[in-house]
Each structure stands twice: as C-alpha cells, then as structure tokens.
Amino acid sequence: MNKIQLGTSDLSVSEVALGCMRMDKLNSKEAAGVINAAFESGVNFYDHADIYGGGESEKRFAQALELTSIKRDDIILQSKAGIRSGYYDFSKEHLINSVEGILNRLDTDYIDVLLLHRPDALVEPEEVAEAFDTLHSSGKVRQFGVSNHSPYQIELLKRHVKQDLIANQLQLSVMHTGMIDAGVQVNTKQKGSIDHDRAILDYCRLNDITVQPWSPVHGPDGVFLNHPDYGEVNETLKLLADKYETDHEALAIAWLLRHPAKMQIILGTMNEKRIRNYSSASEISLSREDWYTVYKASGNPLP
C-alpha cells in the first residue's frame, strides 16, 4: 500500500482508507474481520463520524479492535462532527461535546484527525477556533480538517483557526466527476462547464489539503459497478482491467488514485473481499490515455 502525507501534517497515511459508516450493521466478530482485512491490506487509516449509526459504528469499531492484535498506535483514527438531527452545529460547545462522545465511543484518549462534517450556514469561525484550540491543547485532537467545504468556506475558517486544515472529504468517483469536469470544460458552453464545486480540487492542491473522495464507487443512483444503467463505463473498465492484470472494480479505485492530487480514498464497503480488492488499486498506475478513456466512457465529452 502506498503512503501519502496527509495535508501539511506529519501523518503518513495509506492512500486507501476504510470508512466505517456501516460498521453498526455488523457484530463485533464480523467488524473485527473487516478491520483485519483492511489492516492486512496496508490500510492504517479509519474514518468515522459521530452520526454514523447514531454513534454505534464508533462503539462497534472499538469493541472489534479489542478482538484483533492491532494496537491503537498502529492506526490513525479520523472522525467528523457538526451534523445534528435536522440541522448543523459548529458551536464551540457542540464540537467539544461531540469530541468527548467520540473519544468515549472509540475508547481512546485522542483522535488523530477531526473534520467539520457539513458546512454550517450559521458558522461563527471564532467559536470554531476556540473549540479547536481547546481540543488541540488538551491533546484530544491532533489535526483538523473539513468535509464537503468550498474554498471560501475554508478561507473563512482559516482567518480565525490557528491549526492547519489538512483534509477535505468530498464526493468523487468515476460517475461523480463534477470537480474535474469544470476544469476540463472551462470556457465552453457544455453542461460540464458549470462549476458546482467552486474549483475546490485546484484550491485543495494549491493549499496542500488532501482530498478524501467518499462514495468512490457510487453514481447518481447508487453503486455504478456492475449496474445495468452504467454499461459503457463498466465495459470500458473491464476491457482495461485485463491490461492491468486486475478487475474492473479495483480499476475504478485506481482511476481516482491516478489523479496527481494524491488523494486518499475512503472506502465504504464492509465486505472483506472487496476491501482487499479495492486496496490492491494502490499498486496500479493508469496511463494518461487510459485515464481519459475511462473519463469519456463515464459520459464526459472532451471539448
């Protein structure tokens, strides 16, 4: 498994990470198998959020980790906070309370990374800064970042927050390429030229913020792999898979990893076989021509 530096931090992380949103659906033994499958595949990074399974996913992870031989210091834990029932909340009180809950459920003294989950329209960056200072100085959170944030939302935070924002978790896949399309279609009247993401990909690259693609095998209607509505892109991935001595599912992850932004993929599967297969994408390096072949097959014309 290839490692990358997470943002400007000193964290060396696997370029494929395991997202634990669905871990609450497993029992402790099953969850331990999932964690082991990821770890044995070279994954040292595990992504959580306080809302996943109503907090049960974090609890299950902690219970399962006890059933493995993996030590806390062997892995990097990330969690997210800021989503409440029906609204968003980046208040100092809520962020600090959320982290206390996260630490309790994960049965750990600290988390390596805390992300602000979804942009809070009522954000007061001064309060966020106070919360980050408290959490950082107490040793409860070592690094900070955001999720689903635009460039100016990040700039607003940076005006007050002392700590570097090292990651931005964003939806990106072969069939969800908006942040790439806008750059390819710049100065055209094509549909893809509409920039819904405010050049967030270029912004993150310029500011050494690691992009963490979530839902990396999802399209508009769920998983696109092996789905009959996505025949062309699946067929293209299958044809190219033979060339790279892999299968089309791993190639869909390798397509993301080929981007020079040095992204960190957040897998969402709880299937051990798929975890091992997706993780093998770290060993694949697509040619420029093949990357564009997949991009065009996903419905993106070149100008």
Side-chain angles (χ1 to χ4, degrees):
M1 173 71 69
N2 291 325
K3 298 288 184 64
I4 60 171
Q5 179 185 357
L6 194 65
T8 57
S9 75
D10 59 357
L11 294 175
S12 178
V13 301
S14 53
E15 63 180 356
V16 175
L18 182 66
C20 300
M21 183 174 71
R22 298 179 178 85
M23 192 160 280
D24 64 304
K25 304 292 190 268
L26 310 179
N27 61 41
S28 296
K29 184 178 179 180
E30 292 168 336
V34 166
I35 295 170
N36 273 324
F39 192 75
E40 290 167 3
S41 300
V43 173
N44 70 348
F45 195 99
Y46 299 82
D47 175 70
H48 297 269
D50 58 357
I51 63 164
Y52 290 168
E56 289 300 315
S57 290
E58 290 175 328
K59 288 182 181 178
R60 193 62 37 79
F61 182 91
Q63 294 163 357
L65 193 64
E66 286 293 316
L67 302 179
T68 74
S69 60
I70 302 168
K71 305 302 181 185
R72 170 65 183 91
D73 291 343
D74 294 332
I75 60 175
I76 297 167
L77 295 180
Q78 171 175 280
S79 195
K80 300 181 287 291
I83 298 180
R84 303 188 73 167
S85 181
Y87 64 104
Y88 305 134
D89 188 352
F90 286 177
S91 67
K92 176 182 178 181
E93 180 182 17
H94 178 67
L95 292 177
I96 290 175
N97 288 341
S98 292
V99 169
E100 293 292 349
I102 290 167
L103 296 177
N104 182 60
R105 290 188 295 272
L106 287 174
D107 192 22
T108 184
D109 295 328
Y110 69 96
I111 53 173
D112 298 278
V113 188
L114 174 70
L115 304 185
L116 299 176
H117 205 159
R118 284 258 178 202
D120 177 10
L122 303 181
V123 62
E124 296 175 270
E126 300 90 343
E127 281 206 32
V128 174
E130 290 177 9
F132 283 10
D133 284 345
T134 298
L135 294 168
H136 188 257
S137 63
S138 65
K140 294 177 180 179
V141 179
R142 297 186 172 179
Q143 304 286 344
F144 299 86
V146 296
S147 181
N148 307 299
H149 276 58
S150 73
Y152 277 107
Q153 289 170 331
I154 296 172
E155 284 295 314
L156 179 61
L157 290 169
K158 286 169 65 176
R159 185 176 181 182
H160 298 273
V161 170
K162 298 174 185 175
Q163 298 80 14
D164 287 346
L165 301 176
I166 64 170
N168 191 5
Q169 201 167 113
L170 299 156
Q171 186 174 8
L172 182 64
S173 74
V174 167
M175 293 305 303
H176 189 96
T177 56
M179 67 178 73
I180 294 173
D181 302 341
V184 173
Q185 297 291 346
V186 68
N187 198 35
T188 75
K189 292 187 176 182
Q190 296 288 342
K191 181 180 178 181
S193 69
I194 300 172
D195 187 357
H196 295 280
D197 304 293
R198 301 174 181 89
I200 188 59
L201 181 55
D202 293 330
Y203 172 87
C204 287
R205 294 181 72 183
L206 283 167
N207 288 274
D208 297 316
I209 297 172
T210 298
V211 172
Q212 296 178 328
W214 57 268
S215 289
V217 295
H218 280 66
D221 303 306
V223 176
F224 66 81
L225 293 173
N226 307 310
H227 194 293
D229 290 347
Y230 303 98
E232 183 178 357
V233 71
N234 275 290
E235 187 60 30
T236 300
L237 288 168
K238 289 176 182 177
L239 287 172
L240 288 174
D242 290 339
K243 175 179 177 180
Y244 292 93
E245 299 181 343
T246 185
D247 63 30
H248 69 297
E249 295 188 358
L251 203 67
I253 301 299
W255 184 85
L256 290 168
L257 292 175
R258 172 60 180 84
H259 195 282
K262 296 182 179 179
M263 304 178 192
Q264 184 188 41
I265 314 304
I266 308 294
L267 301 180
T269 182
M270 291 287 102
N271 181 293
E272 293 181 32
K273 182 178 179 181
R274 283 204 171 97
I275 289 170
R276 296 181 191 278
N277 191 34
Y278 290 150
S279 296
S280 71
S282 181
E283 303 168 4
I284 303 168
S285 181
L286 270 67
S287 71
R288 188 180 298 266
E289 181 180 5
D290 290 340
W291 188 92
Y292 274 103
T293 297
V294 174
Y295 181 69
K296 290 185 290 184
S298 66
N300 297 300
L302 297 182

